Amino acid sequence: MSDVFADQAPVHATGEPAIVGAGPWALAWRRLVRNRVAMVMVVVLALIVGLCLAAPLYAHHVARTDPFQSHLDATTVVNGKKVPVMQASTSGLGLGVTPIGPTWDPRHYFLGADDQGRDVAARLLYGGRNSLLIGAAAALITCILATIIGLVAGFFGGVVDGVLSRFLDVIWAFPVYLLAISLSTVLIAKGFSIGPFRLESGSLFLPIAIIGVVYIPYVARPIRGEVLSLRRREFVEAAIGLGASTWRILWSDILRNVVTTAIVFFPLMVAIDMLTEAALSFLSIGVQEPNASWGTIILDGQGLLYTRPAVALAPGIAIALTVLALNVLGDGIRDALDPRAKLRRTD
Amino acid sequence: MNRVVKMLVLGSLLAAVAASAGSSGAASSHRGGTLKLLAKAAGGTLDPQVNYTLQYWQLYQATYDGLLAFQKAGGGAAFNVVPDLASNLPKPTHGGKTWVFHIRKGIKFSNGQPLTVKDVVASFQRIFKVKSPTSGSFYAGIVGAKACLAKPATCTLKGGVIGNAKKNTVTINLIAPDSEFKYKLAVPHASIVPANSPTSDAGTKALPGTGAYYFASYNPNKQLVMKRNPYFKVFSKAAMPDGYPDEITQSFGLTVESQITAIENGQADWTLEAPPADRLNEMGTKYPEQTHVETLTAFWYAPMNTRMAPFNNLKARQAVSYAVDRNALVKIFGGPRLATPSCQVLPPGFPGHVDYCPYSNPPGKVWKAPNLAKAKQLVQQSGTKGAKVTVLSSDDEVNKSVAVYLQSVLNQIGYKASVKPISGNIFFTYVQNTKNKVQINVQQWYQDYPAASDFLYVLFGCESFHPGSDSSINIAGFCNKPINAQMHKALNLAVTNETAANKLWAKIDKQVTDQAPMVTLFTPKHIDFVSKRVGNFTFSKEFYWLVDQSWVQ
Amino acid sequence: MLRFVAHRFVSMIFVLFSISVLSFLIFFATPGVDPAARIAGKNADQATLAAVRKDFGLDKPLPVRYAVMMKKLFITRDLTSYVNRGAKVIPQVTAAAPVTLSLVLGAAVIWVILSIAMGLLAAVFRGKPIDTAVMIIGLVGISMPVFWLGEVVNLLTQSRFHHSPIFSWVPPLGYTSFTSSPFGWFKSLFFPWLTLSVLYIGIYARVLRSALVEAQEEDYVRTARAKGLTETRVLLRHSLRTSLIAFVSLFGLDFGALVGGGALLTEVVFNLHGVGKLTFDSLQNLDLPVILATVIYAAFFVVVANAIVDLVYAALDPRVRRA
């Protein structure tokens, strides 16, 4: 069906001089390294990932707090004075309890507390681990499954193609968030088991699997199209004519050619998946308490938007920065590999 | 739909003496204008005999009458039952089984049709024909109800509800005396509607009523409009007074935050929703005159499944009760002005309530502090240490926060706890079904049955437990034969001697609390936030704010 | 060509059918979803529960329930909600459709105009800092979660600066219909439009830029250039026209998805009672009749937009028909 909505940015248009005497991968690598904007983003990304990996270090040794435990009765230090983390109103009718705001002191509630009195900065770092993990793992699932489906459908054609394509059509037309919401309602409540595999509800793998599956058509379609056109190319027809085995042709002639497409899609899919994860968690069907992700922290912050906007602002900025870096990097990789990648995303 | 959980509030026996309602009679300069109410979503069907939400029960107070009514008055006086469409509150005869009501004359429905004995009889049959949620509980004691429950379509209540057009009386016969029957006749499910009303749920079509107002239009995605009933004349100030505003509207769809802002800006007059924690401080300091805080007879609790590990172990359950820091939970609910820590089932001020808190540190009458050491020790002794526990809650902000806190506490005392917030709409039925294997969850119960039995017997009686059913309100699956026998004794005793019965209920309350089929968390309070122009705010303990008794000019 | 059209039509019906069956099955596979107890009310007697189940046909086998529901939805058109009993489903969808359409149309106008301007600018200054800057600005828009952006907009316009002169004109969240007040309609939708379009501006500008750059290399453009036309003229007259094909087909697909309820997050954050919000609410309420209606509605637009774009392509390029 349609792989027409294309973001086609051919490299030959950039008028780069050809580099002689190097393999295609080495060439691509050299082009990528020379892309200064992309390299800046690699550094940004590395910084974010590094910070998130250091979450336990920060929580245990700097902030000295357990971000998965409620601290409703705790106290902290601001300007050398001991103050409660959850501050009950004392004026007027004395209604309401407000968590402490940002102290800008990394040792004591740098970004303030959430409605359980937990350190937002520490949760932000832990949440980033989950967001990044889900994004990367889901993108991996999407790219691998999509490559297999696209390869099989495009190469064998006929009934196989018909069945797989209809399957892709259905996922494609089923509105993304609805599918995710429906699946999560079923899976989050009960968990899931196929044979010996048992998925506990609340497991991180649930959002990963859901998001991974939902985006398969976006990658599988262009790969199928590419396989279709490769099949008609002389070198493949020649191989078939020479009596090469089907698997050999698939492996050596076709897969090698489409794998670059999958690679180009990968960082872009990570970006899309992270946004989707945030949206699902925001609709409270993604990562489950007490685990955090950037999406769930935005949700926590929504209830405090009026008095403590920092809780919602910080994770949003973190997502935007990471996704931006991934997008720029993805662009760079595509420009370097030039597979005339075709990409579509959703609202 | 937290509405399902919040639902209704019926009276208690609390106030014996009726203070005269200071708020009726609307012939002053305050009469007129439009009162604009806000709600996040519509409350479902508008049929007074089917709807079971506080949202509309509050509005039915001004639109429908039963034979009897709770007095429209502020405070505890609202617990008094007064004659409404009947001109008398009869003393039952035949050993408490026969009630004879004289129907008032000259009353008309909002469509101009006069009220007759026939309408009354048909309305009682209709309770069963439309399968009212309480048909099997409140009204199952009427003679002939059994047949009606089995075959609703052909319900006649033969020998149970008998009309006499000549004498203008309606006689109701019960199978056994029932000390709570007068309350059951005063709730909206026993409203009197025209005999020719449809015999199925009327849905979004409003049925004519005899109240001061009628429902002029209803679109569940937009708005509900109430206007003055042109045929209404005051026949009992206590049961159905005249209202102030000419029109009352309830609009649906705004988020709670926007609703509060709209009220602050004077664009609307009241919100049904509990205000978000984020705005409480602002309301209390900037708009103290517009914020009304009222005590409720209700409790927040966490039932523990007594039929599943680890909480089939008494020590494990008690450990949780010792460990929970009620002060922390009070903070989640908005601070000490909005909630009070508690350990027991019956809320303060309720019949049968005697202060009791064995789980405090030190133990005593009221809760002071948690006892973590004792809790850890009990978990150790029970041999359940390290067990996996999942805390379920509805997915709204406060319920979720309470669940997250409980999870944190369970981890502290040696369990491996996780939290599972699920959609508020399926939560309430989901946790009731034993098939879903729920260990512990966050619940609230607002009084809806006018006696101690409504808390203790409904929530912890053996007869309220139905394995495998979505309707099994004894969520803890608690069934203690000796305690249950005492409950039956208290129920029977109430017919003849209420004081003695309440003493017995107090004893039962202690025993249930000791068995800890639940952790009681706190007693909540209720906030109403109204616009500047709203005057004469009257809060009935029965049905909350009496909407039509406030003026807007 | 006719065969291609027929083939497309059959597969469209197949997809819609599968989606309705899938939603139906997912619903009944969800634990705790049985609506009987919710309809019957709190602490309902077991007999009442059974009667309600019978009344709503919930005791029948699944295929029968599916058939009855589809009949009520498409033939008698009197399917009613489980939650707001008596409320018909189809009027709910038709009432929500104009809200979504208003939101999407306004946002589309903004994103099309701005993205063409940005795409042209970037193509003209290809390789220069302006190009990079414009493209990065576009990427920033793509990278922000739309619901978060909406929240931030609300924070600024509804609370923090609501009383300052810049934002005091912003009405409370919600929709005002065009017929009741054209200006009110504009005011209530202004920020939702901007928020929704931010994502698409970036994407469309990039698509257009790439297409322009590619078209610049085509033979007929070289010819035009050789004839001595100025660069700008070549760009506007020749390259832009061909480049718009990719742009327009992408627009068709996005527009279809959004009109069908794809702007769910924007509608939820700005409290616009459109199709997306209706879908979201029905999922929250587990109100199966409304879920089915909205999901089929959404899928219909996606599938139709897809088919139209395919057909147009098939008409332009015969090779597609064989593929």
Side-chain angles (χ1 to χ4, degrees), chain C residues 226-246:
Chain C
K227 279 198 279 180
L229 292 175
T230 63
E231 261 317 289
T232 321
R233 255 189 102 98
V234 172
L235 191 73
L236 292 179
R237 271 288 174 81
H238 297 275
S239 310
L240 184 59
R241 202 181 287 171
T242 42
S243 307
L244 277 179
I245 294 176

PDB file of all heavy atoms in Angstrom, chain C residues 226-246:
ATOM      1  N   ALA C 226      18.369  26.487 -17.769  1.00  0.00           N
ATOM      2  CA  ALA C 226      19.190  26.757 -18.943  1.00  0.00           C
ATOM      3  C   ALA C 226      18.559  27.826 -19.818  1.00  0.00           C
ATOM      4  O   ALA C 226      19.241  28.573 -20.500  1.00  0.00           O
ATOM      5  CB  ALA C 226      19.376  25.466 -19.738  1.00  0.00           C
ATOM      6  N   LYS C 227      17.202  27.877 -19.773  1.00  0.00           N
ATOM      7  CA  LYS C 227      16.527  28.884 -20.580  1.00  0.00           C
ATOM      8  C   LYS C 227      16.722  30.278 -20.017  1.00  0.00           C
ATOM      9  O   LYS C 227      16.238  31.259 -20.570  1.00  0.00           O
ATOM     10  CB  LYS C 227      15.024  28.581 -20.639  1.00  0.00           C
ATOM     11  CG  LYS C 227      14.718  27.499 -21.690  1.00  0.00           C
ATOM     12  CD  LYS C 227      13.246  27.479 -22.079  1.00  0.00           C
ATOM     13  CE  LYS C 227      12.429  26.722 -21.069  1.00  0.00           C
ATOM     14  NZ  LYS C 227      11.005  26.677 -21.410  1.00  0.00           N
ATOM     15  N   GLY C 228      17.359  30.368 -18.868  1.00  0.00           N
ATOM     16  CA  GLY C 228      17.705  31.679 -18.319  1.00  0.00           C
ATOM     17  C   GLY C 228      16.720  32.208 -17.302  1.00  0.00           C
ATOM     18  O   GLY C 228      16.742  33.385 -16.965  1.00  0.00           O
ATOM     19  N   LEU C 229      15.829  31.347 -16.787  1.00  0.00           N
ATOM     20  CA  LEU C 229      14.914  31.820 -15.749  1.00  0.00           C
ATOM     21  C   LEU C 229      15.692  32.025 -14.453  1.00  0.00           C
ATOM     22  O   LEU C 229      16.659  31.316 -14.182  1.00  0.00           O
ATOM     23  CB  LEU C 229      13.812  30.792 -15.517  1.00  0.00           C
ATOM     24  CG  LEU C 229      12.828  30.608 -16.673  1.00  0.00           C
ATOM     25  CD1 LEU C 229      11.863  29.475 -16.378  1.00  0.00           C
ATOM     26  CD2 LEU C 229      12.069  31.896 -16.938  1.00  0.00           C
ATOM     27  N   THR C 230      15.240  32.977 -13.637  1.00  0.00           N
ATOM     28  CA  THR C 230      15.943  33.214 -12.370  1.00  0.00           C
ATOM     29  C   THR C 230      15.699  32.039 -11.430  1.00  0.00           C
ATOM     30  O   THR C 230      14.698  31.339 -11.544  1.00  0.00           O
ATOM     31  CB  THR C 230      15.441  34.493 -11.680  1.00  0.00           C
ATOM     32  OG1 THR C 230      14.064  34.298 -11.350  1.00  0.00           O
ATOM     33  CG2 THR C 230      15.602  35.697 -12.569  1.00  0.00           C
ATOM     34  N   GLU C 231      16.594  31.837 -10.473  1.00  0.00           N
ATOM     35  CA  GLU C 231      16.497  30.738  -9.504  1.00  0.00           C
ATOM     36  C   GLU C 231      15.144  30.750  -8.800  1.00  0.00           C
ATOM     37  O   GLU C 231      14.488  29.718  -8.668  1.00  0.00           O
ATOM     38  CB  GLU C 231      17.613  30.843  -8.450  1.00  0.00           C
ATOM     39  CG  GLU C 231      18.840  29.956  -8.646  1.00  0.00           C
ATOM     40  CD  GLU C 231      18.582  28.523  -9.073  1.00  0.00           C
ATOM     41  OE1 GLU C 231      18.081  27.749  -8.233  1.00  0.00           O
ATOM     42  OE2 GLU C 231      18.879  28.148 -10.225  1.00  0.00           O
ATOM     43  N   THR C 232      14.732  31.918  -8.296  1.00  0.00           N
ATOM     44  CA  THR C 232      13.485  32.027  -7.565  1.00  0.00           C
ATOM     45  C   THR C 232      12.312  31.595  -8.425  1.00  0.00           C
ATOM     46  O   THR C 232      11.427  30.883  -8.000  1.00  0.00           O
ATOM     47  CB  THR C 232      13.274  33.485  -7.120  1.00  0.00           C
ATOM     48  OG1 THR C 232      14.531  34.013  -6.728  1.00  0.00           O
ATOM     49  CG2 THR C 232      12.311  33.558  -5.962  1.00  0.00           C
ATOM     50  N   ARG C 233      12.331  32.047  -9.685  1.00  0.00           N
ATOM     51  CA  ARG C 233      11.241  31.703 -10.598  1.00  0.00           C
ATOM     52  C   ARG C 233      11.193  30.204 -10.822  1.00  0.00           C
ATOM     53  O   ARG C 233      10.123  29.602 -10.818  1.00  0.00           O
ATOM     54  CB  ARG C 233      11.465  32.410 -11.934  1.00  0.00           C
ATOM     55  CG  ARG C 233      10.570  33.576 -12.151  1.00  0.00           C
ATOM     56  CD  ARG C 233      10.730  34.059 -13.574  1.00  0.00           C
ATOM     57  NE  ARG C 233       9.620  33.617 -14.399  1.00  0.00           N
ATOM     58  CZ  ARG C 233       8.588  34.422 -14.667  1.00  0.00           C
ATOM     59  NH1 ARG C 233       8.532  35.627 -14.188  1.00  0.00           N
ATOM     60  NH2 ARG C 233       7.615  33.983 -15.434  1.00  0.00           N
ATOM     61  N   VAL C 234      12.369  29.630 -11.032  1.00  0.00           N
ATOM     62  CA  VAL C 234      12.445  28.194 -11.255  1.00  0.00           C
ATOM     63  C   VAL C 234      11.860  27.473 -10.050  1.00  0.00           C
ATOM     64  O   VAL C 234      11.038  26.558 -10.163  1.00  0.00           O
ATOM     65  CB  VAL C 234      13.899  27.746 -11.477  1.00  0.00           C
ATOM     66  CG1 VAL C 234      13.999  26.224 -11.507  1.00  0.00           C
ATOM     67  CG2 VAL C 234      14.435  28.340 -12.752  1.00  0.00           C
ATOM     68  N   LEU C 235      12.267  27.955  -8.882  1.00  0.00           N
ATOM     69  CA  LEU C 235      11.831  27.312  -7.637  1.00  0.00           C
ATOM     70  C   LEU C 235      10.315  27.370  -7.504  1.00  0.00           C
ATOM     71  O   LEU C 235       9.652  26.360  -7.255  1.00  0.00           O
ATOM     72  CB  LEU C 235      12.497  28.022  -6.455  1.00  0.00           C
ATOM     73  CG  LEU C 235      12.353  27.328  -5.106  1.00  0.00           C
ATOM     74  CD1 LEU C 235      13.230  26.106  -5.057  1.00  0.00           C
ATOM     75  CD2 LEU C 235      12.722  28.295  -3.995  1.00  0.00           C
ATOM     76  N   LEU C 236       9.764  28.556  -7.708  1.00  0.00           N
ATOM     77  CA  LEU C 236       8.330  28.725  -7.490  1.00  0.00           C
ATOM     78  C   LEU C 236       7.515  28.111  -8.609  1.00  0.00           C
ATOM     79  O   LEU C 236       6.475  27.509  -8.383  1.00  0.00           O
ATOM     80  CB  LEU C 236       7.993  30.216  -7.343  1.00  0.00           C
ATOM     81  CG  LEU C 236       8.534  30.858  -6.063  1.00  0.00           C
ATOM     82  CD1 LEU C 236       8.159  32.335  -6.023  1.00  0.00           C
ATOM     83  CD2 LEU C 236       7.992  30.149  -4.827  1.00  0.00           C
ATOM     84  N   ARG C 237       7.964  28.291  -9.859  1.00  0.00           N
ATOM     85  CA  ARG C 237       7.168  27.861 -10.995  1.00  0.00           C
ATOM     86  C   ARG C 237       7.219  26.359 -11.230  1.00  0.00           C
ATOM     87  O   ARG C 237       6.226  25.717 -11.479  1.00  0.00           O
ATOM     88  CB  ARG C 237       7.682  28.553 -12.269  1.00  0.00           C
ATOM     89  CG  ARG C 237       7.040  29.872 -12.539  1.00  0.00           C
ATOM     90  CD  ARG C 237       5.595  29.682 -12.988  1.00  0.00           C
ATOM     91  NE  ARG C 237       4.928  30.947 -13.119  1.00  0.00           N
ATOM     92  CZ  ARG C 237       5.064  31.717 -14.190  1.00  0.00           C
ATOM     93  NH1 ARG C 237       5.826  31.336 -15.190  1.00  0.00           N
ATOM     94  NH2 ARG C 237       4.435  32.864 -14.257  1.00  0.00           N
ATOM     95  N   HIS C 238       8.445  25.816 -11.138  1.00  0.00           N
ATOM     96  CA  HIS C 238       8.607  24.421 -11.548  1.00  0.00           C
ATOM     97  C   HIS C 238       8.788  23.466 -10.382  1.00  0.00           C
ATOM     98  O   HIS C 238       8.005  22.524 -10.241  1.00  0.00           O
ATOM     99  CB  HIS C 238       9.785  24.303 -12.524  1.00  0.00           C
ATOM    100  CG  HIS C 238       9.541  25.069 -13.774  1.00  0.00           C
ATOM    101  ND1 HIS C 238       8.847  24.538 -14.832  1.00  0.00           N
ATOM    102  CD2 HIS C 238       9.869  26.334 -14.126  1.00  0.00           C
ATOM    103  CE1 HIS C 238       8.756  25.455 -15.801  1.00  0.00           C
ATOM    104  NE2 HIS C 238       9.377  26.548 -15.390  1.00  0.00           N
ATOM    105  N   SER C 239       9.773  23.741  -9.551  1.00  0.00           N
ATOM    106  CA  SER C 239      10.080  22.790  -8.485  1.00  0.00           C
ATOM    107  C   SER C 239       8.924  22.680  -7.493  1.00  0.00           C
ATOM    108  O   SER C 239       8.491  21.588  -7.144  1.00  0.00           O
ATOM    109  CB  SER C 239      11.325  23.211  -7.719  1.00  0.00           C
ATOM    110  OG  SER C 239      12.341  23.488  -8.634  1.00  0.00           O
ATOM    111  N   LEU C 240       8.385  23.822  -7.027  1.00  0.00           N
ATOM    112  CA  LEU C 240       7.365  23.802  -5.989  1.00  0.00           C
ATOM    113  C   LEU C 240       6.171  22.980  -6.434  1.00  0.00           C
ATOM    114  O   LEU C 240       5.623  22.189  -5.687  1.00  0.00           O
ATOM    115  CB  LEU C 240       6.949  25.234  -5.643  1.00  0.00           C
ATOM    116  CG  LEU C 240       5.941  25.341  -4.493  1.00  0.00           C
ATOM    117  CD1 LEU C 240       6.505  24.721  -3.238  1.00  0.00           C
ATOM    118  CD2 LEU C 240       5.554  26.788  -4.238  1.00  0.00           C
ATOM    119  N   ARG C 241       5.781  23.191  -7.708  1.00  0.00           N
ATOM    120  CA  ARG C 241       4.586  22.513  -8.179  1.00  0.00           C
ATOM    121  C   ARG C 241       4.737  20.992  -8.067  1.00  0.00           C
ATOM    122  O   ARG C 241       3.856  20.312  -7.558  1.00  0.00           O
ATOM    123  CB  ARG C 241       4.299  22.920  -9.615  1.00  0.00           C
ATOM    124  CG  ARG C 241       2.852  22.692  -9.964  1.00  0.00           C
ATOM    125  CD  ARG C 241       2.566  23.075 -11.373  1.00  0.00           C
ATOM    126  NE  ARG C 241       2.545  24.526 -11.572  1.00  0.00           N
ATOM    127  CZ  ARG C 241       2.481  25.082 -12.788  1.00  0.00           C
ATOM    128  NH1 ARG C 241       2.489  24.323 -13.875  1.00  0.00           N
ATOM    129  NH2 ARG C 241       2.448  26.387 -12.918  1.00  0.00           N
ATOM    130  N   THR C 242       5.851  20.456  -8.541  1.00  0.00           N
ATOM    131  CA  THR C 242       6.019  19.004  -8.464  1.00  0.00           C
ATOM    132  C   THR C 242       6.241  18.537  -7.032  1.00  0.00           C
ATOM    133  O   THR C 242       5.756  17.486  -6.631  1.00  0.00           O
ATOM    134  CB  THR C 242       7.198  18.521  -9.326  1.00  0.00           C
ATOM    135  OG1 THR C 242       8.263  19.444  -9.139  1.00  0.00           O
ATOM    136  CG2 THR C 242       6.835  18.432 -10.777  1.00  0.00           C
ATOM    137  N   SER C 243       6.916  19.353  -6.263  1.00  0.00           N
ATOM    138  CA  SER C 243       7.214  18.942  -4.892  1.00  0.00           C
ATOM    139  C   SER C 243       5.958  18.833  -4.055  1.00  0.00           C
ATOM    140  O   SER C 243       5.912  18.115  -3.053  1.00  0.00           O
ATOM    141  CB  SER C 243       8.146  19.940  -4.215  1.00  0.00           C
ATOM    142  OG  SER C 243       9.271  20.135  -5.010  1.00  0.00           O
ATOM    143  N   LEU C 244       4.927  19.583  -4.453  1.00  0.00           N
ATOM    144  CA  LEU C 244       3.728  19.599  -3.634  1.00  0.00           C
ATOM    145  C   LEU C 244       2.991  18.263  -3.663  1.00  0.00           C
ATOM    146  O   LEU C 244       2.126  18.011  -2.824  1.00  0.00           O
ATOM    147  CB  LEU C 244       2.803  20.732  -4.064  1.00  0.00           C
ATOM    148  CG  LEU C 244       3.186  22.083  -3.456  1.00  0.00           C
ATOM    149  CD1 LEU C 244       2.242  23.176  -3.941  1.00  0.00           C
ATOM    150  CD2 LEU C 244       3.195  22.043  -1.940  1.00  0.00           C
ATOM    151  N   ILE C 245       3.328  17.377  -4.620  1.00  0.00           N
ATOM    152  CA  ILE C 245       2.619  16.093  -4.687  1.00  0.00           C
ATOM    153  C   ILE C 245       2.841  15.289  -3.407  1.00  0.00           C
ATOM    154  O   ILE C 245       1.884  14.846  -2.764  1.00  0.00           O
ATOM    155  CB  ILE C 245       3.073  15.275  -5.913  1.00  0.00           C
ATOM    156  CG1 ILE C 245       2.642  16.009  -7.184  1.00  0.00           C
ATOM    157  CG2 ILE C 245       2.450  13.877  -5.886  1.00  0.00           C
ATOM    158  CD1 ILE C 245       3.102  15.355  -8.454  1.00  0.00           C
ATOM    159  N   ALA C 246       4.097  15.145  -3.022  1.00  0.00           N
ATOM    160  CA  ALA C 246       4.400  14.414  -1.791  1.00  0.00           C
ATOM    161  C   ALA C 246       3.747  15.106  -0.598  1.00  0.00           C
ATOM    162  O   ALA C 246       3.163  14.465   0.277  1.00  0.00           O
ATOM    163  CB  ALA C 246       5.904  14.340  -1.590  1.00  0.00           C
TER     164      ALA C 246
END
